[in-house]
Amino acid sequence: MIPLRIVLLSAFLATSPNAIAENGGPTGGRTIEMRVDGLVCAFCAQGVSKKLAAQPSIEDVFVDLERGLVAVALRTGLDINDETLRETLTAAGYSLRQVERRTESLTELRARLEASRK
Amino acid sequence: MHPAAPRKQPRRKARLPALRLAFLALGLAATGAALAKPIAFQGGTTVMAEYGAGTMIEAQAFHAPSYRWSVGLGQLRLDADDESFSRDITYSRVNILVGRRNRPQSQANAFAWAGLGTADSSDDQGERLALNAGGQIDHETLRFYSSLRTDWHHSTSRFSHRIDTAQLGWAPYPHNWDRVATWFVVQGRNFTGGLYEDIEGALLLRLFRNGRSSAFWIEAGMTQDGRLQSMFMLNF
């Protein structure tokens, strides 16, 4: 029989913020990856990050001009529907082509993209 | 007996009246993001200042309530190449996105604008009502930029001139979001209405960078006769 202290310690470690983030649980690891058309100029595309960051459900924004990619990290327990994303990007002057929801964190997504660049 | 040489009429430095300065300052304070594009993004503001080779100095400020249109103010100073006259034009303007095509690796735009203002010329008395209108088409990728633009200023029975600008740009590397973008731009500019008798060519270096709350753009270069051409722009 597993000692109670070990069970409690395991439960504590499993629910710690870092563990949850690595496992893609509620406090991290939920991103939305979007393919966006017209994203060719950082100066002009500044509105993308500003308008997405203003959405209450979005914690962080990542833009990759070379790939025409915009990714957002969602706040814990919040979400945003595709139509709102489309309207937000349209208001910024761009066209949303594809939406993909992922369980990896924004950090992991960035690392993946960086690795594929090399 | 030699006739007296005609005295060259001294160019009257048209000073900005305090009211117009206040008006312009109010516009700048109330707004806050021109070329490359006169519309930034919904809720965005663009401020811009350009020094054009001793022929023109211009400052603009625009705010975009929608990605389809923006409104703002501008102040333009034009000096004739032969220094025979100068002109100050203060104007308000509405810019409209006529069309846009977004593709995975490019964006193409068509803009139009029009507005009203006042003009004060050194060869004339008093301020006159002036109209302004123009348009721009451009195409951009991460490595190549091209645009054609025309600006027309008109005051009935006083003056009518147009500035046509063509630009071709090349980026030695595709910039990304948090890096400084570098562009080399070749520009040709044609003036009508007695301002400049030739096509003014310029080679420009353009740098811009995106920040957390704003994006800045600086551009500088020389015309074919060694005169400075520069521009600064801020989007926020």
Side-chain angles (χ1 to χ4, degrees):
Chain A
M1 187 167 174
I2 301 171
L4 180 62
R5 277 181 294 177
I6 294 175
V7 172
L8 288 173
L9 182 60
S10 300
F12 172 76
L13 289 172
T15 56
S16 71
N18 286 343
I20 289 172
E22 288 167 7
N23 293 332
T27 62
R30 293 189 308 137
T31 62
I32 302 175
E33 186 178 316
M34 295 170 277
R35 298 290 169 173
V36 179
D37 288 349
L39 211 59
V40 293
C41 167
F43 184 83
C44 308
Q46 187 218 2
V48 168
S49 65
K50 289 194 82 171
K51 296 203 73 67
L52 285 171
Q55 292 290 333
S57 57
I58 292 175
E59 187 171 54
D60 199 5
V61 181
F62 170 69
V63 179
D64 187 322
L65 295 180
E66 284 188 77
R67 291 181 172 83
L69 181 153
V70 177
V72 298
L74 295 170
R75 292 187 191 281
T76 305
L78 298 180
D79 203 347
I80 185 169
N81 61 45
D82 291 4
E83 189 52 37
T84 303
L85 288 170
R86 186 178 307 280
E87 287 172 359
T88 303
L89 285 165
T90 300
Y94 300 93
S95 305
L96 177 60
R97 183 159 46 91
Q98 183 184 339
V99 179
E100 199 169 337
R101 292 169 188 270
R102 297 182 176 276
T103 54
E104 65 182 340
S105 68
L106 207 58
T107 304
E108 290 165 341
L109 182 148
R110 281 171 156 152
R112 173 168 59 82
L113 293 175
E114 196 60 38
S116 67
R117 198 188 302 271
K118 292 175 185 171
Chain B
M1 185 173 169
H2 297 286
R7 285 182 61 189
K8 184 176 179 181
Q9 191 171 7
R11 184 176 64 185
R12 178 169 64 90
K13 295 282 185 182
R15 275 177 272 165
L16 291 172
L19 184 61
R20 270 195 291 163
L21 273 173
F23 187 50
L24 180 63
L26 182 64
L28 287 170
T31 60
L35 256 185
K37 298 176 175 58
I39 303 171
F41 51 90
Q42 183 189 29
T45 297
T46 302
V47 294
M48 180 273 282
E50 180 176 3
Y51 176 81
T55 310
M56 61 176 277
I57 300 173
E58 188 168 24
Q60 293 179 325
F62 291 102
H63 179 73
S66 161
Y67 79 97
R68 288 196 175 279
W69 65 281
S70 67
V71 62
L73 301 171
Q75 175 72 36
L76 173 65
R77 166 67 180 241
L78 296 165
D79 290 297
D81 188 45
D82 61 359
E83 299 184 3
S84 59
F85 69 91
S86 62
R87 187 164 292 141
D88 288 291
I89 304 174
T90 304
Y91 57 88
S92 60
R93 174 180 291 175
V94 174
N95 305 291
I96 295 172
L97 175 65
V98 175
R100 168 169 286 163
R101 188 187 69 184
N102 284 321
R103 290 289 162 86
Q105 301 293 328
S106 70
Q107 186 182 76
N109 300 281
F111 297 97
W113 52 81
L116 287 173
T118 60
D120 192 1
S121 300
S122 61
D123 59 350
D124 192 10
Q125 296 296 322
E127 290 185 359
R128 307 289 176 182
L129 181 68
L131 308 175
N132 68 88
Q136 175 178 309
I137 54 173
D138 59 59
H139 182 270
E140 185 170 7
T141 70
L142 277 175
R143 301 294 299 277
F144 296 99
Y145 171 82
S146 59
S147 72
L148 289 173
R149 174 191 171 109
T150 187
D151 284 280
W152 176 70
H153 291 270
H154 175 83
S155 181
T156 303
S157 75
R158 298 299 171 186
F159 66 83
S160 184
H161 50 68
R162 208 180 69 240
I163 305 171
D164 302 320
T165 307
Q167 290 189 341
L168 287 174
W170 171 71
Y173 58 88
H175 69 282
N176 216 325
W177 190 248
D178 55 354
R179 303 292 172 87
V180 174
T182 303
W183 287 81
F184 298 101
V185 178
V186 175
Q187 175 178 286
R189 185 165 268 175
N190 183 55
F191 298 83
T192 67
L195 293 171
Y196 187 73
E197 291 301 321
D198 204 351
I199 292 193
E200 183 186 82
L203 184 61
L204 309 167
L205 172 65
R206 174 180 296 171
L207 304 171
F208 58 83
R209 193 184 191 287
N210 198 21
R212 191 159 274 280
S213 58
S214 64
F216 76 85
W217 165 310
I218 58 174
E219 183 175 289
M222 305 300 287
T223 63
Q224 79 270 29
D225 46 6
R227 293 186 289 183
L228 173 67
Q229 171 91 27
S230 64
M231 186 173 81
F232 172 78
M233 192 155 57
L234 190 66
N235 258 3
F236 56 94

